[in-house]
Amino acid sequence: MATLLHLDSSVFPEDGSASRAVTAAFRAAWLEEHPEGTVIYRDLAADPLPHLDGTAAAAGFSDPATHTPEQQAAFALRTRLAEELEQADAIVIGAPMYNFTIPSTLKAWLDQAIIMGRTAGAEPSAKGTPVTVVASRGGSYAPGTPREGADFVQNYLETVLGDGFGLEVDFIVPELTMAPTNPAMSELVPLYEASREKALAEAAAKGRATATLAAV
């Protein structure tokens, strides 16, 4: 049975979150192709993971047979996250830009899920799995804009998801999401609306396409 791993990290609910609306569109399209499919869902804002600590980190570099009870408990979470990643035929991640980079809750998931010799390393266990990242942002960081080069979301996630996990990474970028609520950006509302509609259409198309791949 096909499985989708769906991660959201926006602090806002779907009706106030650009990234959640787009990941929801991806999920809906994926489920249309796989109505009996399994969705593993983690709302990292509503149910945040603990940050990686020394106990959990050390457990990842030692023989499980030598783990203390504290290490066993900490590594059980990391193992569960690795299993969810490995079970997925497709992944969609909501990654809004907060202060020029990803939410700390998403970083916590990455730190916990990256296990050298398993999900990362020479032969990552989920290598080749397609992942679609919805990298929403309040302004624009496109080439030629004043803040070009200040985007530390896409480059970082391209590296950690692609080079680290070995995933096939694709991005959807809804931008100018603050235009409807920021008077100073009012003239950009039409551009925001166009970006939003494009992102929703891309999400639906990618959701269907990745579902088709899983069915092959």
Side-chain angles (χ1 to χ4, degrees):
M1 184 177 294
T3 300
L4 172 69
L5 176 60
H6 177 183
L7 307 177
D8 277 324
S9 60
S10 172
V11 298
F12 300 107
E14 185 176 326
D15 59 359
S17 167
S19 65
R20 286 181 185 273
V22 177
T23 61
F26 181 104
R27 175 174 171 167
W30 188 91
L31 283 172
E32 285 179 3
E33 301 296 323
H34 288 296
E36 304 301 321
T38 298
V39 177
I40 301 171
Y41 180 61
R42 283 190 176 272
D43 187 332
L44 300 174
D47 189 16
L49 299 169
H51 288 287
L52 186 70
D53 61 14
T55 300
F61 293 98
S62 59
D63 184 345
T66 68
H67 286 178
T68 66
E70 291 78 15
Q71 287 177 321
Q72 290 175 359
F75 201 62
L77 170 62
R78 302 188 69 192
T79 299
R80 185 161 68 253
L81 296 176
E83 290 171 347
E84 291 174 357
L85 181 70
E86 292 159 355
Q87 290 168 18
D89 298 292
I91 305 165
V92 62
I93 301 175
M97 179 188 285
Y98 292 162
N99 300 316
F100 305 107
T101 189
I102 64 172
S104 63
T105 52
L106 179 55
K107 181 63 164 61
W109 179 85
L110 290 166
D111 289 341
Q112 295 279 12
I114 294 171
I115 303 174
M116 294 304 300
R118 182 170 179 174
T119 60
E123 287 295 328
S125 54
K127 183 178 180 179
T129 304
V131 55
T132 300
V133 179
V134 180
S136 58
R137 62 276 318 276
S140 178
Y141 297 78
T145 61
R147 287 191 166 179
E148 177 184 357
D151 172 3
F152 302 102
V153 173
Q154 287 186 255
N155 287 347
Y156 172 69
L157 290 178
E158 178 72 45
T159 300
V160 72
L161 296 175
D163 296 344
F165 286 121
L167 307 177
E168 296 295 328
V169 188
D170 200 5
F171 288 92
I172 298 174
V173 186
E175 61 180 11
L176 302 169
T177 62
M178 292 182 64
T181 58
N182 185 346
M185 298 175 65
S186 59
E187 64 182 22
L188 300 175
V189 169
L191 292 178
Y192 152 73
E193 291 174 342
S195 177
R196 181 178 184 277
E197 291 307 310
K198 180 174 182 288
L200 290 170
E202 287 181 351
K206 291 182 190 297
R208 288 190 292 269
T210 55
T212 301
L213 287 174
V216 172

